[in-house]
Amino acid sequence: MLDGKRFLCLMLARGGSKGVPNKNIKALAGKPLINYSIEAVQGAGLFDRMILSTDSPQIADVALAGGMEVPFLRPDHLATDESSALDSIVHALDYIEAEDGPYDYVQYIFPTAPLRTEAHIRAGAEMLVNTKCDMVISVCETDHPVQWMNHLPADNSLQNFVHLDHRGRNRQELEKSYRINGSLYVGRWDIFAQRKDWFAQDTRAFIMPTEVSIDIDTPLDFKLAELLLKEQQHA
């Protein structure tokens, strides 16, 4: 509980991952990937309830053993490759509100960010409460300047790929750019219920270090996360 208000944690974990099969419960440096996020959520000490939305009984069993609640299995139409995470969040929050009433705050957690810690979760929530903004989304600095990025046409031409003002300039001379890193989304329950979106009138960035901003989507992401976690374990 934070600021004397009711606070819900919601985690989504679909069973049909393609890039890394069964990634949410695949062993990562000695334990299921999802357990890193469960332990961080529990360690933050903020939440009145910690809910998992999944379509997979296997993922549900792992999460229940770790201490999450799994009050329902997600409908099949919300668990396809084309399904929107926002639709799954709305479904889960509607279910919880019907069962337990609305909360004051909700934090949405991806289970695919194993380097995000309880300190990040707590700091993001405290930013929301202390600034009295509507929503907070975590970001990190991009690995390469956005000024060096562009779409490619069908013929792969690089004409006008980099703007004239940015050609030949060192990275340090260019303005920093940031990307959403998938570690946390936290906001006011009433605002999300109204907008069905994390981008509200006053959504702010919670900046995290790039080295803890891995969001596992590919086998390479998985290997890199495992390397970093094993280094931490042996430090």
Side-chain angles (χ1 to χ4, degrees):
M1 186 175 293
L2 189 67
D3 194 32
K5 304 292 182 66
R6 295 216 303 167
F7 205 162
L8 179 82
C9 176
L10 174 64
M11 190 181 301
L12 301 186
R14 189 168 67 91
S17 57
K18 296 294 192 296
V20 181
N22 298 315
K23 69 178 176 183
N24 288 307
I25 53 176
K26 182 178 174 67
L28 174 69
K31 60 186 174 186
L33 169 60
I34 196 171
N35 281 22
Y36 290 92
S37 293
I38 293 174
E39 291 169 10
V41 165
Q42 292 170 331
L46 295 174
F47 303 105
D48 297 273
R49 294 183 71 181
M50 296 170 287
I51 304 293
L52 175 74
S53 168
T54 184
D55 62 309
S56 164
Q58 292 77 23
I59 294 175
D61 287 343
V62 173
L64 285 166
M68 296 286 287
E69 294 182 56
V70 189
F72 58 85
L73 285 180
R74 196 188 312 170
D76 290 342
H77 73 277
L78 293 176
T80 68
D81 289 342
E82 293 75 32
S83 300
S84 163
L86 283 173
D87 288 341
S88 295
I89 295 169
V90 170
H91 170 266
L93 297 189
D94 284 348
Y95 184 101
I96 297 302
E97 184 164 350
E99 175 192 75
D100 194 26
Y103 281 65
D104 297 291
Y105 305 122
V106 56
Q107 185 153 163
Y108 166 46
I109 296 289
F110 282 94
T112 50
L115 297 171
R116 174 234 300 113
T117 68
E118 62 190 62
H120 298 126
I121 291 172
R122 175 169 281 279
E126 289 174 345
M127 179 179 178
L128 174 75
V129 173
N130 294 337
T131 64
K132 302 187 186 311
C133 65
D134 296 330
M135 305 284 179
V136 168
I137 299 175
S138 60
V139 303
C140 67
E141 189 175 345
T142 56
D143 296 325
H144 301 286
V146 70
Q147 296 89 341
W148 295 351
M149 304 176 192
N150 209 330
H151 300 287
L152 280 174
D155 64 357
N156 288 345
S157 172
L158 288 177
Q159 184 177 9
N160 300 321
F161 185 85
V162 177
H163 193 278
L164 281 172
D165 291 345
H166 303 143
R167 294 179 193 173
R169 297 178 66 186
N170 294 325
R171 173 177 178 167
Q172 294 81 358
E173 299 177 86
L174 298 173
E175 185 178 1
K176 288 183 179 180
S177 56
Y178 296 84
R179 63 174 177 84
I180 293 172
N181 71 352
S183 284
L184 61 89
Y185 295 71
V186 57
R188 288 174 46 189
W189 180 287
D190 59 340
I191 297 293
F192 184 87
Q194 177 186 13
R195 300 179 65 94
K196 307 293 190 292
D197 195 350
W198 296 104
F199 291 90
Q201 184 172 352
D202 188 5
T203 296
R204 304 194 188 185
F206 174 68
I207 301 173
M208 292 176 57
T210 302
E211 60 268 22
V212 300
S213 294
I214 294 175
D215 181 20
I216 294 177
D217 192 47
T218 67
L220 180 59
D221 296 332
F222 198 93
K223 290 178 181 179
L224 180 57
E226 188 159 52
L227 175 64
L228 293 172
L229 285 166
K230 285 181 176 179
E231 284 184 352
Q232 289 181 8
Q233 292 170 0
H234 292 94

